[in-house]
């Protein structure tokens, strides 16, 4: 799902950090929803 996180494709650090936060948020939401 989050293939962009496998390698650091982003040039800017803040965009890369935002993608990581987005992926972690989606993962947590899926875990909460499956309970």
């Amino acid at each position: 799902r989050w293939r962009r996180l496998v390698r650091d494709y982003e040039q800017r650090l803040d965009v890369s950090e935002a993608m990581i936060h987005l992926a972690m948020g989606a993962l947590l939401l899926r875990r909460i929803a499956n309970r």
Side-chain angles (χ1 to χ4, degrees):
R1 273 181 204 256
W2 301 100
R3 289 185 185 265
R4 290 177 74 171
L5 297 177
V6 174
R7 297 189 191 203
D8 197 16
Y9 288 119
E10 308 299 336
Q11 297 293 322
R12 292 174 41 193
L13 187 61
D14 57 342
V15 175
S16 181
E17 185 179 358
M19 288 297 293
I20 291 170
H21 284 292
L22 187 68
M24 289 302 293
L27 187 75
L28 288 174
L29 281 175
R30 260 197 332 201
R31 284 188 180 180
I32 290 171
N34 284 339
R35 285 190 173 193

